[in-house]
Amino acid sequence: MEIKSSDMTVVSTEQEVHLQKKLENRHIQLIAIGGAIGTGLFMGSGKTIHLSGSSIILTYTIVGFFMFIVMRALGELLLSNTNYRSFADFTGEYLGNWTGFFIGWTYWLSWVVACIGDVVVIGGYFQFWFPDIPLWVPAFSALTLLILLNALSVKAFGEAEFWFAIIKVCAIVLLIMVGFWMIFTGFKSPNGVQASFHHVIESGTIFPNGALGFIAGFQIAIFSFIGIELVGVTAAETKNPERNLPRAINSIPIRIMLFYVLSLVCIISVTSWHYIAPDKSPFVELFTLSGLPAAAAVINFVVLTSAFSSANSGVFSTSRMLFGLAWKKQAPQTFKVLSKANIPLRGLIISGFCMFSGAVLLIFIPNVMTLFTLLSTLSAILLIFIWSLIILAYLAYRKKRPDLHLSSIYKMPAGKVLSWMCLIFFGFVLIAICLKQDTRVGLYLAPFWFAWLAIAYFYKDKMNDYISKKWS
């Protein structure tokens, strides 16, 4: 697709280029909330519950704790220098230019892969209503819609994510309320299961597949939190980040307790672990198994919007990462070009093309959970690399700039100790991914990406010049 220079705003200095600061507090708060409620929760938690039983509640609590540590480190680093556009900037400064290159491109790929996974799930949700529709049809349609939406303005993204997140939050709150009502009234489903908290702790439910099943459940749990760091990408387009970023980050523990822990307690209590299918959304199945098909259809619509929300975040963040990389001269300079609406349109087009190319996998692997597991594992591995570099950058920042830490308005408590605990935990998750054949494939693919990045970093100047000439 050719883009004429007359249709774009090309700037020559970093001071002249700017992204629109159109995201307000309500946008950044809901983006943070939306990032904490990923497709992994709505679709992937069925498989995790199947593996881990009710110990999934402990799994999400542990993962959520370490995600909060990452976000606190991210928040302190971003606010230590208001010129940082994203975590690619401070990792490059504290760990070397190569890390900025690696983390920027890896984050871009992780969201491309995650976005493909989201549209795969969208196809699966559509089959709830239209069982005979090919999976690739709703997947391709969703991608087209989201790319067009993000091409309008950053405020269009913010508004879409705002309403997507509201739908998700209201749905989970409603599910929890209905779930507790079923539990306290002793509701009995058509299959004879009576809703009770006892299902959470009954024999054979807590660790149904032993320690290995519990450990294997961490892969999907990690993927569920993809997007939690999105507030770091939106920093350059956020009004008053000194106030809004800490607010968004500090509310993460409450959101984890509400959205993950309470919702999973309700699902297991109402349906019982024995009736939760690994290849379906337990949120939809809760109402289906309870003999409420109309409610199940409503929840299916909600989880569909959740997948749209996650994919929307992916489409947004990939174009911004390419924009930031271009300014660091770690991506072709053509990605510095903004449209008249101040949107990094060329980055959006390239990212969209890669997403469409990946979605073609649906034609060859027309099984939602098989493909989703592969994509979510690869994305989780890439994110662990990124989160680890954020923590390492924080440790380097504490060592090199103690003055900035002392003057910080948002200090991370027990920063050094918790940072090392976080790195050890990420190593544990990588070991967990090795335990299952369906997740191990992603671990085999990741080294090829990092090998390619090493080659690209070595020849990046020549490659950037060649690509920029082609797009000029």
Side-chain angles (χ1 to χ4, degrees):
M1 180 176 181
E2 182 181 358
I3 300 177
K4 297 180 180 178
S5 298
S6 59
D7 296 330
M8 311 293 289
T9 302
V10 184
V11 289
S12 56
T13 67
E14 187 165 358
Q15 286 71 31
E16 290 173 331
V17 69
H18 62 282
L19 296 169
Q20 293 179 313
K21 288 186 177 290
K22 292 292 183 71
L23 295 181
E24 301 175 0
N25 182 49
R26 67 184 180 93
H27 292 132
I28 198 68
Q29 293 294 332
L30 268 297
I31 287 171
I33 290 173
I37 312 172
T39 307
L41 173 64
F42 284 121
M43 173 58 80
S45 56
K47 181 178 180 180
T48 312
I49 293 173
H50 180 73
L51 289 169
S52 307
S54 58
S55 64
I56 185 179
I57 298 166
L58 179 60
T59 300
Y60 275 98
T61 302
I62 293 172
V63 175
F65 171 74
F66 287 108
M67 289 300 97
F68 181 58
I69 293 174
V70 172
M71 290 303 297
R72 284 302 304 258
L74 175 67
E76 181 176 341
L77 282 164
L78 282 174
L79 294 178
S80 69
N81 186 340
T82 56
N83 292 322
Y84 291 147
R85 288 190 180 89
S86 72
F87 38 77
D89 295 335
F90 61 69
T91 53
E93 179 173 336
Y94 288 109
L95 299 177
N97 288 332
W98 72 270
T99 56
F101 180 87
F102 272 63
I103 201 172
W105 279 105
T106 300
Y107 189 64
W108 172 82
L109 180 65
S110 71
W111 265 114
V112 168
V113 173
C115 192
I116 297 168
D118 290 329
V119 297
V120 166
V121 169
I122 287 172
Y125 289 146
F126 264 96
Q127 284 190 334
F128 179 86
W129 294 302
F130 311 103
D132 297 326
I133 191 172
L135 288 169
W136 64 269
V137 173
F140 276 49
S141 300
L143 265 181
T144 302
L145 175 63
L146 291 173
I147 290 171
L148 291 175
L149 178 68
N150 277 267
L152 296 177
S153 69
V154 67
K155 191 163 187 178
F157 159 78
E159 286 297 327
E161 196 59 27
F162 177 80
W163 291 107
F164 280 148
I166 282 182
I167 292 173
K168 285 195 283 189
V169 170
C170 291
I172 290 182
V173 171
L174 180 61
L175 179 141
I176 292 171
M177 292 173 62
V178 172
F180 276 108
W181 173 81
M182 289 177 170
I183 294 166
F184 289 123
T185 60
F187 179 86
K188 183 175 287 187
S189 66
N191 59 10
V193 176
Q194 183 173 338
S196 170
F197 287 125
H198 177 69
H199 295 309
V200 177
I201 58 172
E202 65 185 347
S203 178
T205 297
I206 299 179
F207 295 101
N209 294 300
L212 291 180
F214 171 69
I215 294 171
F218 278 87
Q219 176 264 326
I220 288 291
I222 283 284
F223 179 76
S224 298
F225 285 90
I226 182 174
I228 198 171
E229 73 296 312
L230 190 59
V231 290
V233 181
T234 57
E237 298 171 82
T238 304
K239 295 179 180 178
N240 197 357
E242 292 81 3
R243 181 190 67 180
N244 294 332
L245 286 179
R247 283 184 179 181
I249 294 171
N250 288 340
S251 61
I252 286 175
I254 297 173
R255 296 200 300 271
I256 291 169
M257 286 297 298
L258 174 63
F259 302 138
Y260 288 90
V261 176
L262 287 182
S263 62
L264 292 171
V265 166
C266 285
I267 287 170
I268 296 172
S269 297
V270 172
T271 62
S272 178
W273 168 78
H274 304 281
Y275 294 94
I276 295 175
D279 58 345
K280 296 181 181 178
S281 170
F283 288 80
V284 178
E285 286 294 284
L286 181 147
F287 293 100
T288 302
L289 292 173
S290 300
L292 301 172
V298 172
I299 294 297
N300 191 71
F301 170 76
V302 171
V303 295
L304 175 65
T305 62
S306 172
F308 264 103
S309 171
S310 298
N312 188 39
S313 297
V315 173
F316 171 86
S317 58
T318 50
S319 61
R320 268 59 183 181
M321 290 307 295
L322 291 182
F323 175 82
L325 284 166
W327 269 112
K328 288 289 184 180
K329 296 183 178 179
Q330 294 175 336
Q333 298 301 285
T334 185
F335 294 131
K336 289 163 57 176
V337 176
L338 298 178
S339 69
K340 291 181 179 179
N342 280 14
I343 297 297
L345 188 57
R346 292 180 175 179
L348 181 63
I349 292 170
I350 288 296
S351 300
F353 173 78
C354 293
M355 291 170 187
F356 273 110
S357 300
V360 172
L361 287 171
L362 274 171
I363 299 174
F364 304 100
I365 311 176
N367 182 286
V368 173
M369 189 50 66
T370 299
L371 189 52
F372 178 71
T373 299
L374 171 62
L375 294 168
S376 63
T377 303
L378 180 57
S379 184
I381 293 168
L382 298 175
L383 282 168
I384 288 171
F385 173 78
I386 293 163
W387 293 332
S388 298
L389 283 183
I390 290 173
I391 293 297
L392 290 172
Y394 176 81
L395 290 171
Y397 149 84
R398 289 290 302 269
K399 182 179 181 180
K400 296 178 181 179
R401 296 301 305 271
D403 55 316
L404 289 180
H405 174 68
L406 288 174
S407 62
S408 174
I409 61 173
Y410 193 54
K411 292 185 180 70
M412 176 181 170
K416 292 182 180 179
V417 174
L418 290 178
S419 293
W420 282 110
M421 288 176 60
C422 205
L423 292 173
I424 293 170
F425 171 72
F426 289 147
F428 159 77
V429 174
L430 289 177
I431 294 173
I433 289 173
C434 296
L435 298 179
K436 302 288 288 185
Q437 178 61 39
D438 57 351
T439 57
R440 205 178 299 142
V441 176
L443 203 59
Y444 294 153
L445 295 175
F448 290 100
W449 167 251
F450 292 113
W452 158 247
L453 274 187
I455 296 170
Y457 181 72
F458 187 76
Y459 293 105
K460 69 178 186 298
D461 293 335
K462 293 181 179 179
M463 293 174 65
N464 290 348
D465 290 342
Y466 175 78
I467 296 174
S468 295
K469 288 177 182 178
K470 290 293 183 180
W471 278 70
S472 62

Coordinates of all heavy atoms in Angstrom, one line a residue, residues 383-417:
L383 N 6.9 -11.7 26.6 CA 6.6 -10.7 27.7 C 7.5 -10.9 28.9 O 7.9 -10.0 29.6 CB 5.1 -10.9 28.1 CG 4.1 -10.2 27.1 CD1 2.7 -10.6 27.4 CD2 4.3 -8.7 27.2
I384 N 7.8 -12.2 29.2 CA 8.7 -12.5 30.3 C 10.0 -11.8 30.1 O 10.7 -11.3 31.0 CB 8.8 -14.0 30.6 CG1 7.5 -14.5 31.2 CG2 10.0 -14.3 31.5 CD1 7.5 -16.0 31.2
F385 N 10.5 -11.9 28.8 CA 11.8 -11.2 28.5 C 11.7 -9.7 28.7 O 12.6 -9.1 29.3 CB 12.1 -11.5 27.0 CG 13.2 -10.8 26.4 CD1 14.5 -11.2 26.7 CD2 13.0 -9.7 25.6 CE1 15.6 -10.5 26.2 CE2 14.1 -9.0 25.1 CZ 15.4 -9.4 25.4
I386 N 10.6 -9.1 28.3 CA 10.4 -7.7 28.4 C 10.3 -7.3 29.9 O 10.9 -6.3 30.3 CB 9.1 -7.2 27.7 CG1 9.3 -7.4 26.2 CG2 8.7 -5.8 28.0 CD1 8.0 -7.4 25.4
W387 N 9.4 -8.0 30.6 CA 9.3 -7.7 32.1 C 10.6 -7.8 32.8 O 10.9 -7.0 33.7 CB 8.2 -8.5 32.7 CG 6.8 -8.2 32.1 CD1 6.3 -7.1 31.7 CD2 5.7 -9.2 32.1 NE1 5.0 -7.2 31.3 CE2 4.6 -8.4 31.5 CE3 5.5 -10.5 32.4 CZ2 3.4 -9.0 31.3 CZ3 4.3 -11.1 32.2 CH2 3.2 -10.4 31.6
S388 N 11.4 -8.8 32.4 CA 12.7 -9.0 33.1 C 13.6 -7.9 32.8 O 14.3 -7.4 33.7 CB 13.3 -10.4 32.6 OG 12.5 -11.5 32.9
L389 N 13.6 -7.4 31.6 CA 14.5 -6.2 31.2 C 14.0 -5.0 32.0 O 14.9 -4.1 32.4 CB 14.5 -6.0 29.7 CG 15.3 -6.9 28.9 CD1 15.3 -6.5 27.4 CD2 16.8 -7.0 29.4
I390 N 12.7 -4.8 32.2 CA 12.2 -3.7 33.0 C 12.8 -3.8 34.4 O 13.2 -2.8 35.0 CB 10.7 -3.7 33.0 CG1 10.1 -3.3 31.6 CG2 10.2 -2.7 34.0 CD1 8.6 -3.4 31.5
I391 N 12.7 -5.0 35.0 CA 13.2 -5.1 36.3 C 14.8 -4.9 36.4 O 15.3 -4.3 37.3 CB 12.9 -6.5 36.9 CG1 11.4 -6.7 37.0 CG2 13.6 -6.8 38.2 CD1 10.8 -5.8 38.1
L392 N 15.5 -5.4 35.4 CA 16.9 -5.2 35.3 C 17.3 -3.8 35.2 O 18.2 -3.3 35.7 CB 17.5 -6.1 34.2 CG 17.6 -7.6 34.4 CD1 18.0 -8.3 33.2 CD2 18.5 -8.0 35.6
A393 N 16.5 -3.1 34.4 CA 16.7 -1.6 34.2 C 16.4 -0.9 35.5 O 17.2 0.1 35.8 CB 15.8 -1.1 33.1
Y394 N 15.4 -1.3 36.3 CA 15.2 -0.7 37.6 C 16.4 -0.9 38.5 O 16.8 0.0 39.2 CB 13.9 -1.3 38.2 CG 13.6 -0.8 39.6 CD1 13.0 0.5 39.8 CD2 14.0 -1.5 40.7 CE1 12.8 1.0 41.0 CE2 13.8 -1.0 42.0 CZ 13.2 0.2 42.1 OH 13.0 0.7 43.4
L395 N 16.9 -2.1 38.5 CA 18.1 -2.4 39.4 C 19.3 -1.5 39.0 O 20.0 -1.0 39.8 CB 18.5 -3.9 39.3 CG 17.5 -4.8 40.0 CD1 17.8 -6.3 39.7 CD2 17.5 -4.6 41.5
A396 N 19.5 -1.3 37.6 CA 20.6 -0.5 37.1 C 20.3 1.0 37.5 O 21.2 1.7 37.8 CB 20.7 -0.7 35.6
Y397 N 19.1 1.4 37.4 CA 18.7 2.8 37.8 C 19.0 3.0 39.2 O 19.5 4.1 39.6 CB 17.2 2.9 37.4 CG 16.4 3.9 38.3 CD1 16.4 5.3 38.0 CD2 15.6 3.4 39.3 CE1 15.6 6.1 38.8 CE2 14.8 4.3 40.1 CZ 14.9 5.6 39.8 OH 14.1 6.5 40.6
R398 N 18.7 2.1 40.1 CA 18.9 2.2 41.5 C 20.4 2.3 41.8 O 20.9 3.1 42.7 CB 18.3 1.0 42.3 CG 16.8 1.0 42.4 CD 16.3 2.1 43.3 NE 16.9 2.0 44.6 CZ 16.3 1.3 45.6 NH1 15.1 0.7 45.4 NH2 16.8 1.3 46.8
K399 N 21.2 1.6 41.0 CA 22.7 1.7 41.2 C 23.3 2.9 40.6 O 24.2 3.5 41.2 CB 23.3 0.4 40.5 CG 24.8 0.3 40.7 CD 25.3 -1.0 40.1 CE 26.8 -1.1 40.3 NZ 27.4 -2.4 39.7
K400 N 22.9 3.3 39.4 CA 23.5 4.4 38.7 C 23.0 5.8 39.1 O 23.7 6.8 39.0 CB 23.4 4.2 37.2 CG 24.1 3.0 36.6 CD 23.8 2.8 35.1 CE 24.5 1.6 34.6 NZ 24.3 1.4 33.1
R401 N 21.7 5.9 39.4 CA 21.1 7.2 39.7 C 20.3 7.1 41.1 O 19.1 7.3 41.2 CB 20.1 7.5 38.6 CG 20.7 7.8 37.3 CD 21.8 8.9 37.3 NE 21.3 10.2 37.9 CZ 20.7 11.1 37.1 NH1 20.6 10.9 35.8 NH2 20.3 12.2 37.7
P402 N 21.0 6.9 42.2 CA 20.4 6.9 43.5 C 19.7 8.2 43.8 O 18.8 8.3 44.6 CB 21.5 6.5 44.5 CG 22.8 6.9 43.7 CD 22.5 6.7 42.3
D403 N 20.3 9.3 43.2 CA 19.7 10.6 43.5 C 18.3 10.7 42.9 O 17.4 11.3 43.6 CB 20.5 11.7 42.8 CG 20.8 11.4 41.3 OD1 21.0 10.3 40.9 OD2 20.6 12.4 40.5
L404 N 18.0 10.1 41.8 CA 16.7 10.1 41.2 C 15.7 9.3 42.0 O 14.5 9.6 42.2 CB 16.7 9.6 39.8 CG 17.3 10.5 38.7 CD1 17.3 9.8 37.3 CD2 16.7 11.8 38.6
H405 N 16.2 8.2 42.6 CA 15.4 7.4 43.4 C 15.0 8.1 44.7 O 13.8 8.1 45.1 CB 16.1 6.1 43.8 CG 15.3 5.2 44.8 ND1 14.1 4.6 44.5 CD2 15.6 4.9 46.1 CE1 13.7 3.9 45.6 NE2 14.6 4.1 46.6
L406 N 15.9 8.8 45.3 CA 15.7 9.5 46.5 C 14.7 10.7 46.3 O 13.9 10.9 47.2 CB 17.0 10.1 47.1 CG 18.0 9.1 47.7 CD1 19.3 9.8 48.1 CD2 17.3 8.4 48.9
S407 N 14.7 11.3 45.1 CA 13.8 12.4 44.9 C 12.5 11.9 44.2 O 11.7 12.8 43.9 CB 14.5 13.4 44.0 OG 14.9 12.8 42.7
S408 N 12.4 10.6 44.0 CA 11.2 10.1 43.3 C 9.9 10.4 44.1 O 9.9 10.3 45.3 CB 11.3 8.6 43.0 OG 10.1 8.1 42.5
I409 N 8.8 10.8 43.3 CA 7.5 10.9 43.9 C 6.8 9.6 44.0 O 5.6 9.6 44.5 CB 6.7 12.0 43.2 CG1 6.5 11.5 41.7 CG2 7.4 13.3 43.2 CD1 5.5 12.4 40.9
Y410 N 7.4 8.6 43.4 CA 6.6 7.3 43.4 C 7.6 6.1 43.6 O 7.9 5.3 42.7 CB 5.9 7.2 42.0 CG 4.9 6.0 42.0 CD1 3.9 5.9 42.9 CD2 5.0 5.1 40.9 CE1 3.0 4.9 42.8 CE2 4.1 4.1 40.9 CZ 3.1 4.0 41.8 OH 2.1 3.0 41.7
K411 N 8.2 6.1 44.8 CA 9.3 5.1 45.1 C 8.6 3.7 45.2 O 7.6 3.5 45.7 CB 10.0 5.4 46.4 CG 10.8 6.6 46.4 CD 11.6 6.8 47.7 CE 12.5 8.0 47.7 NZ 11.7 9.2 47.8
M412 N 9.3 2.7 44.6 CA 8.9 1.3 44.8 C 9.4 0.8 46.1 O 10.6 0.8 46.4 CB 9.5 0.5 43.6 CG 9.2 -1.0 43.7 SD 10.0 -1.9 42.3 CE 9.7 -3.6 42.8
P413 N 8.5 0.3 47.0 CA 8.9 -0.2 48.3 C 9.7 -1.5 48.2 O 9.4 -2.3 47.4 CB 7.6 -0.4 49.0 CG 6.6 -0.7 47.9 CD 7.1 0.2 46.8
A414 N 10.8 -1.6 49.0 CA 11.7 -2.8 49.0 C 12.1 -3.1 47.6 O 12.0 -4.3 47.2 CB 11.0 -3.9 49.7
G415 N 12.4 -2.1 46.8 CA 12.6 -2.3 45.4 C 13.6 -3.4 45.0 O 13.3 -4.2 44.1
K416 N 14.8 -3.4 45.6 CA 15.8 -4.3 45.2 C 15.5 -5.8 45.5 O 15.6 -6.7 44.7 CB 17.2 -3.9 45.9 CG 17.7 -2.6 45.4 CD 19.1 -2.3 46.0 CE 19.7 -1.0 45.6 NZ 21.0 -0.7 46.2
V417 N 15.0 -6.0 46.7 CA 14.6 -7.4 47.1 C 13.5 -7.9 46.3 O 13.5 -9.0 45.8 CB 14.2 -7.4 48.6 CG1 13.7 -8.8 49.0 CG2 15.4 -7.0 49.5

